[in-house]
Amino acid sequence: MKTKNKTLLIGWDAADWRQLKPLMEKGVMPTLKHLVDCGTHGPLSSLEPMISPVLWTSMATGRRAYDHGIHGFVEAKPNGDGIRPIRASKRKEPAVWNVLNRFGFKTHVINWWPSHPAESVDGIMVSNFYGIPEQKNNSDWPLMPGAVHPVEKRDEYADLQVHPSELTAEILGPFFPNYPQLDVKDPIIQSVAKILAHTCSTHNAITQAMEADDWDFSAVYYNGLDHFLHVANRYAPPQMPDVSDEDFEKYHYVVEAALRFHDMMLARLLKLAGEACNIILVSDHGFDVGEQRKVALPEQMGAPSLEHQPYGVFLGYGPDFKVGFELKGASLLDVCPTILQLFYCPVSRALDGVVLWDALQQKGPTQTVPDFSGIPAFHSFFEEENQLLDEELLLQLQALGYVSDTPTDLHIAAVLRENQYYLARSLVDGGKYQQAVVVLQGLIQEDPNALRFQFLLLHAAFQCNDTVAIAAQIQQLADNHRGDDVRTLYYKGLWYLNQQQPRLAVACFDAVINYAKSRPGLLLQIAHAYVQAGAFSEATAVLDRVPVAKLTQPDVWHFLKAQCLFESREPEQALDHVLSAIAERFAFPERHALLAAILWELKEQEDAVQALHVASKLAPTNQQYLEQLRSWNGKIKSDVVERYLIDKEREKNEHIVVVSGLPRSGTSLMMQVLAAQGFPIFRDATRQPDTHNPRGYFEHQSVKQLAVNPDFLMDAKGKAIKIVAPLVQRLPPHFHYKVIFMHRPTTEVILSQEKMKGASEAQLFQFFPLERALKLEQTAAASLQQLEKAPHVEVIQIAYRDMMTQPEKVCKQLTDFMGIEFDGNTINRVIDTSLYRSKL
Amino acid sequence: MTIKQNHLKNSETKIPSEFWVQPDAKGSLGLLALGARGVKMWREARTQLQNTTHENQK
């Protein structure tokens, strides 16, 4: 086995390079500056929802919230009697330390959120219930049960907890240099004392573990920075208009002081880690800075997370990391697989992230496994309740504004609904729009007045083109007298665009623009809709009205502007704008694709190929980028791109073959053909053959759960699976599919379906269900349309009648589509024309 | 109330800049930044100071 270096993972909640870099330059964060200068660093893109327990669990597991199971700050108590802070026991996926333990590495984990009760790791684990004072003074402050593993270490760690009441003016003074008479009743001072004490407790625990016990991997999460920012960022320079001179004078230094203290702690960690240790410093999201800071937050649950920004920090330093390298495009989901790679452990193919090879000194193959089944997601020695501590932690969450403070039954239901809302946001973020629609429909039923549920549903429904849900939701908003709400008008405009009614769309958007003068973000959304619809001159007119200086995301404006300029054949100007967009935020493949197109137009062909290569790496399932890259690379040869294309070709062969179409359109027959050809079939024995399908249905029961739980598709790779329309619209985007879509005249489909129900042919011709036939046709058309638009799907339509009457034609179609030779005799043997009973 | 009033009485003078020192130097925040080792030293020093003050008062 190869030698591995130790690795220390440090989490600084809410750290943002825009706050750190000025202090590094000022010379007050020398340790961080040294790590940046001698390591690899860059932004780390966050996930939705930007809620710390959700994000830190994604960091540890490499999975999104809908997979790892941690959906919010709180959970229902097991007895249903109220809520309590979220427990690690809810985690459904193994964390990086569980995998490392399985491969024999010793791990210390301190204060990860959530990590209570402490898991029985091979090493030390101190849970996030450590260092939480449940009373006002530090006398008789016992360590919480279940907070430390192994149990025999309890006393050692209990003594290292720092209580806020221990902190003296000498300690707190540097946070308030212009506030000599520290007032004990000042709520900011009280908050700073609490946060600082907890930060010290965390730091004491990690330094103790690193110094006193052997380890291969240590992870520590400091939540203090996020709390310092929520409490005092508004007082930081430059002075905000609503902050009085007196308050500014007193509190302006708190955030800088907090960051300086983190730098000092970092120096200690570096010393204890030693030279042969990799250091990874990460944050889960960024934070509002400068002019971006909000004067006030809306009164809604989870409102403080509105101060979070989508880019946190990544820093890798040590023997395995590149020196002085600036990393781009890293995601929070990449941290777990990268750590596993540092230890040469296998990486699960089910993980959502990738190894950050660009950050590492050496490249090498990643050993992968299908999943981490067999490695327990969570294993603790402890399951006792602690009512007092639950209350204290809930109070902390309330104080920060994440949870409201009236613990009635209604409130509890609202809090748990909030978790479902977070789940829906995670599903939208992960591209699982149809599943998000289902979750949001449930939420709207429970709380029909919550507009944020309704607008998120509309957003998700537009993404997956769920026209039924869109129409129903717009109608519901109109019924609830919200038809003139500016956001409703925006979605109505989108709906009209979708329905090819541009005049009505323009009328809606014009109304929105008049409302939205003070909401430049909404103007951008309209410009985006116009660009999507190919209405570039309308988009340009809207973009020119946007006050760019007021935008929180000017990169979006630059990108849209670049698209419009490129369309109006002004590539040089377009180039400036797309480069600005990429410089601001890198990890958007469509920006690199546009850059590539512009460069190609400007005859910078080698650079164009490189840009498209980046786009394709960022969007690995986008077939359009791949095809273009193949075509260009044929003219401008690049070894790197060539290798990449060969790898992609190999991956493509792992696609899932989906046989689809309306029920009774010949889907079972096509499955029989594939089976007879020797193609592996994904089916179970639940539905047996009957007189309507004497040779079997070739179905799998899991397909019925596709919208809710598509995980079974992992096992369908390389096989054929039957998924009828409209269910086929819910295929998740992270696989490649070859869809064989069966076409049969709707009248025949209806005849066949009605006969299954026992109706006679004579009855049917007398009372033909015309309305249902129309609906079926719409369903088939919508399914087909969506499949044909999806970049990760290839579709072929096969006519049922051709199978009956021209099998040799079907044989050729399948051979061309599947890339494997189909035998005409085999098809002939399968097709039994006597079963073609419902025909016109 | 989470901070003891008597701890805050000593804050009348401006905090000197040497509190912002690296962890291996002296200073209360510097000691706390040392982690487990530092907090023990800091507590010992504080106890000693309190004992001395107590003796002087007697």
Side-chain angles (χ1 to χ4, degrees):
Chain A
M1 190 177 275
K2 297 178 190 175
T3 312
K4 286 98 185 168
N5 294 305
K6 293 202 292 188
T7 294
L8 169 64
L9 174 65
I10 305 165
W12 282 3
D13 198 311
D16 189 316
W17 287 124
R18 295 169 306 167
Q19 258 173 338
L20 300 175
K21 286 194 172 174
L23 296 183
M24 284 160 52
E25 295 310 315
K26 196 174 159 186
V28 295
M29 296 191 81
T31 310
L32 186 67
K33 185 168 190 320
H34 169 71
L35 298 190
V36 166
D37 289 345
C38 303
T40 290
H41 83 286
L44 191 69
S45 64
S46 187
L47 304 170
E48 271 291 311
M50 279 188 266
I51 302 292
S52 291
V54 175
L55 297 174
W56 289 102
T57 308
S58 286
M59 193 95 76
T61 60
R63 306 299 300 267
R64 290 175 186 270
Y66 49 77
D67 285 320
H68 66 54
I70 302 293
H71 297 158
F73 295 103
V74 293
E75 63 181 19
K77 285 183 181 171
N79 60 8
D81 178 25
I83 53 169
R84 64 181 192 177
I86 189 83
R87 299 293 202 270
S89 47
K90 271 282 183 296
R91 201 181 68 228
K92 294 190 293 188
E93 292 291 331
V96 63
W97 48 85
N98 302 124
V99 183
L100 292 173
N101 282 169
R102 169 55 64 93
F103 289 93
F105 297 105
K106 200 163 182 176
T107 61
H108 297 335
V109 183
I110 309 296
N111 194 43
W112 213 257
W113 195 6
S115 59
H116 190 83
E119 295 173 60
S120 308
V121 291
D122 179 11
I124 309 283
M125 183 173 268
V126 176
S127 88
N128 64 312
F129 279 27
Y130 175 82
I132 308 287
E134 62 174 68
Q135 47 207 11
K136 304 282 183 195
N137 61 59
N138 64 341
S139 61
D140 189 25
W141 185 27
L143 180 60
M144 291 307 126
V148 173
H149 166 83
V151 176
E152 57 268 25
K153 297 275 184 187
R154 280 178 54 80
D155 292 345
E156 187 180 316
Y157 282 85
D159 291 343
L160 295 172
Q161 297 182 105
V162 176
H163 196 281
S165 66
E166 284 186 87
L167 299 183
T168 61
E170 203 181 33
I171 297 291
L172 293 167
F175 289 77
F176 306 95
N178 295 345
Y179 189 2
Q181 300 291 336
L182 293 179
D183 177 3
V184 71
K185 291 179 185 163
D186 185 325
I188 302 284
I189 293 185
Q190 291 195 354
S191 294
V192 167
K194 264 191 164 184
I195 300 165
L196 185 60
H198 186 258
T199 302
C200 290
S201 298
T202 302
H203 188 57
N204 294 343
I206 184 62
T207 48
Q208 177 70 9
M210 286 173 73
E211 208 171 5
D213 289 270
D214 288 342
W215 54 280
D216 299 297
F217 170 77
S218 284
V220 57
Y221 161 62
Y222 295 89
N223 57 2
L225 199 47
D226 180 73
H227 294 192
F228 279 119
L229 287 165
H230 281 303
V231 166
N233 197 35
R234 64 197 303 266
Y235 304 110
Q239 185 174 357
M240 289 175 74
D242 69 319
V243 170
S244 69
D245 290 347
E246 189 192 353
D247 283 352
F248 181 70
E249 196 65 8
K250 283 180 186 169
Y251 311 130
H252 75 279
Y253 200 65
V254 170
V255 170
E256 183 171 331
L259 286 163
R260 292 183 71 170
F261 186 59
H262 277 70
D263 193 72
M264 291 161 72
M265 293 189 290
L266 183 61
R268 177 62 173 164
L269 294 176
L270 201 60
K271 196 167 183 182
L272 289 176
E275 284 187 4
C277 179
N278 293 307
I279 310 283
I280 300 176
L281 175 73
V282 285
S283 67
D284 53 342
H285 53 74
F287 208 91
D288 286 350
V289 293
E291 303 294 331
Q292 197 178 41
R293 291 171 296 169
K294 293 169 185 67
V295 174
L297 292 171
E299 286 197 10
Q300 67 185 43
M301 225 176 280
S305 66
L306 298 173
E307 293 183 296
H308 297 167
Q309 289 290 318
Y311 284 83
V313 304
F314 176 88
L315 167 64
Y317 166 91
D320 288 322
F321 284 97
K322 286 182 184 164
V323 175
F325 184 72
E326 205 168 329
L327 180 71
K328 288 174 177 166
S331 156
L332 183 150
L333 292 162
D334 303 334
V335 174
C336 172
T338 303
I339 292 169
L340 292 175
Q341 180 60 41
L342 288 174
F343 287 92
Y344 304 122
C345 284
V347 175
S348 160
R349 290 198 288 273
L351 296 193
D352 296 313
V354 295
V355 175
L356 292 169
W357 283 113
D358 284 352
L360 302 180
Q361 292 272 12
Q362 291 187 328
K363 292 243 174 198
T366 309
Q367 189 195 342
T368 61
V369 289
D371 53 44
F372 286 139
S373 55
I375 301 179
F378 174 82
H379 177 58
S380 179
F381 58 96
F382 185 80
E383 253 309 329
E384 194 183 311
E385 293 303 301
N386 190 301
Q387 187 74 25
L388 276 175
L389 192 63
D390 280 339
E391 282 168 13
E392 179 59 36
L393 278 168
L394 277 175
L395 282 174
Q396 281 194 9
L397 292 170
Q398 285 161 7
L400 286 169
Y402 284 121
V403 176
S404 58
D405 50 4
T406 43
T408 62
D409 286 350
L410 273 179
H411 165 64
I412 290 163
V415 166
L416 297 177
R417 265 204 303 280
E418 196 67 11
N419 281 9
Q420 284 295 98
Y421 176 57
Y422 292 148
L423 169 64
R425 284 167 63 183
S426 166
L427 287 165
V428 169
D429 196 43
K432 294 180 181 289
Y433 302 113
Q434 199 68 57
Q435 286 170 260
V437 167
V438 173
V439 172
L440 288 160
Q441 282 169 336
L443 281 172
I444 292 166
Q445 267 194 341
E446 287 182 34
D447 185 359
N449 296 319
L451 287 176
R452 60 203 174 120
F453 299 163
Q454 304 190 38
F455 290 121
L456 185 61
L457 185 145
L458 276 170
H459 171 70
F462 269 105
Q463 295 300 317
C464 61
N465 200 24
D466 185 341
T467 50
V468 177
I470 295 168
Q473 196 52 50
I474 288 178
Q475 186 59 49
Q476 185 173 341
L477 283 162
D479 292 346
N480 292 343
H481 309 291
R482 291 287 183 176
D484 293 331
D485 183 289
V486 65
R487 285 169 296 176
T488 308
L489 285 170
Y490 164 70
Y491 282 111
K492 272 170 83 172
L494 285 187
W495 173 243
Y496 287 130
L497 274 185
N498 179 292
Q499 298 295 302
Q500 313 289 333
Q501 298 186 61
R503 278 189 185 183
L504 291 172
V506 169
C508 287
F509 288 153
D510 280 349
V512 177
I513 290 167
N514 285 333
Y515 276 119
K517 280 175 189 149
S518 58
R519 297 174 68 174
L522 208 47
L523 293 178
L524 273 191
Q525 284 180 289
I526 293 171
H528 178 254
Y530 277 135
V531 166
Q532 294 284 87
F536 293 99
S537 55
E538 287 84 350
T540 302
V542 177
L543 285 171
D544 290 345
R545 298 179 66 156
V546 175
V548 184
K550 284 190 177 174
L551 288 173
T552 52
Q553 298 179 331
D555 54 305
V556 177
W557 184 86
H558 282 295
F559 178 53
L560 292 168
K561 190 80 183 162
Q563 288 176 85
C564 294
L565 287 164
F566 186 54
E567 283 300 321
S568 58
R569 302 193 179 281
E570 295 176 77
E572 278 167 5
Q573 278 181 281
L575 182 64
D576 289 342
H577 285 287
V578 78
L579 287 173
S580 297
I582 289 172
E584 187 76 22
R585 288 201 287 176
F586 183 85
F588 288 82
E590 59 276 19
R591 297 180 184 188
H592 297 275
L594 178 62
L595 173 63
I598 295 169
L599 289 167
W600 193 267
E601 179 83 12
L602 292 170
K603 312 285 182 215
E604 302 284 347
Q605 297 179 331
E606 281 180 27
D607 289 343
V609 169
Q610 295 309 322
L612 195 58
H613 182 207
V614 174
S616 181
K617 283 205 297 186
L618 289 170
T621 59
N622 189 309
Q623 295 304 312
Q624 212 182 334
Y625 296 165
L626 267 179
E627 285 307 317
Q628 187 68 69
L629 197 54
R630 274 196 198 97
S631 157
W632 286 358
N633 199 52
K635 296 169 190 160
I636 310 292
K637 283 280 179 198
S638 154
D639 289 346
V640 178
V641 175
E642 190 72 30
R643 272 199 302 277
Y644 173 76
L645 289 170
I646 291 168
D647 285 348
K648 294 304 289 181
E649 199 57 38
R650 197 178 304 131
E651 269 177 33
K652 205 175 151 190
N653 293 330
E654 286 194 344
H655 53 237
I656 299 169
V657 173
V658 177
V659 174
S660 189
L662 292 170
R664 307 303 292 172
S665 64
T667 49
S668 302
L669 178 63
M670 181 52 76
M671 292 296 279
Q672 285 173 48
V673 168
L674 293 174
Q677 193 67 37
F679 203 86
I681 302 294
F682 187 73
R683 63 181 291 189
D684 62 17
T686 310
R687 194 170 183 193
Q688 292 295 317
D690 56 25
T691 52
H692 304 290
N693 245 349
R695 294 186 179 177
Y697 286 87
F698 291 80
E699 292 176 355
H700 198 291
Q701 288 300 298
S702 309
V703 172
K704 291 178 183 169
Q705 299 296 314
L706 182 64
V708 185
N709 183 9
D711 292 350
F712 67 89
L713 286 172
M714 277 299 287
D715 299 325
K717 279 166 94 171
K719 297 179 185 168
I721 181 170
K722 179 174 149 185
I723 304 175
V724 294
L727 208 53
V728 72
Q729 294 183 44
R730 300 186 173 193
L731 286 173
H734 49 270
F735 297 107
H736 290 282
Y737 306 96
K738 276 181 178 283
V739 178
I740 302 172
F741 200 90
M742 297 303 298
H743 179 74
R744 187 178 184 185
T746 317
T747 328
E748 288 187 11
V749 169
I750 293 267
L751 275 177
S752 181
Q753 289 182 353
E754 292 298 314
K755 278 187 193 172
M756 271 183 93
K757 293 181 197 163
S760 74
E761 216 162 86
Q763 280 174 322
L764 283 169
F765 282 123
Q766 201 175 356
F767 303 106
F768 189 78
L770 198 58
E771 200 177 333
R772 192 151 71 83
L774 283 172
K775 273 192 181 161
L776 278 178
E777 265 181 25
Q778 284 170 352
T779 302
S783 298
L784 199 54
Q785 190 189 13
Q786 190 182 327
L787 289 170
E788 285 175 338
K789 274 201 304 189
H792 51 290
V793 178
E794 294 172 67
V795 192
I796 186 175
Q797 289 190 68
I798 300 283
Y800 179 76
R801 276 187 186 169
D802 285 347
M803 291 189 80
M804 292 296 155
T805 57
Q806 304 182 66
E808 63 291 343
K809 177 184 168 187
V810 173
C811 184
K812 185 171 181 324
Q813 283 179 307
L814 289 174
T815 300
D816 291 346
F817 181 64
M818 300 281 285
I820 52 173
E821 197 66 38
F822 273 70
D823 178 7
N825 291 331
T826 310
I827 296 184
N828 273 329
R829 272 199 305 277
V830 170
I831 291 171
D832 180 355
T833 48
S834 70
L835 293 175
Y836 187 18
R837 296 170 292 207
S838 300
K839 56 185 165 190
L840 295 174
Chain B
M1 196 179 301
T2 56
I3 310 161
K4 287 180 181 170
Q5 185 72 56
N6 60 347
H7 285 144
L8 299 179
K9 282 182 186 164
N10 301 325
S11 62
E12 286 169 13
T13 52
K14 197 165 171 117
I15 303 300
S17 61
E18 52 269 20
F19 285 111
W20 291 117
V21 289
Q22 286 305 295
D24 53 350
K26 289 178 183 173
S28 295
L29 268 175
L31 282 177
L32 288 185
L34 284 177
R37 230 170 239 228
V39 81
K40 287 171 196 163
M41 289 158 65
W42 175 64
R43 281 173 177 159
E44 272 171 27
R46 234 183 41 189
T47 312
Q48 270 182 10
L49 185 68
Q50 278 168 356
N51 289 344
T52 311
T53 312
H54 189 62
E55 285 298 315
N56 288 345
Q57 279 171 349
K58 277 206 279 184

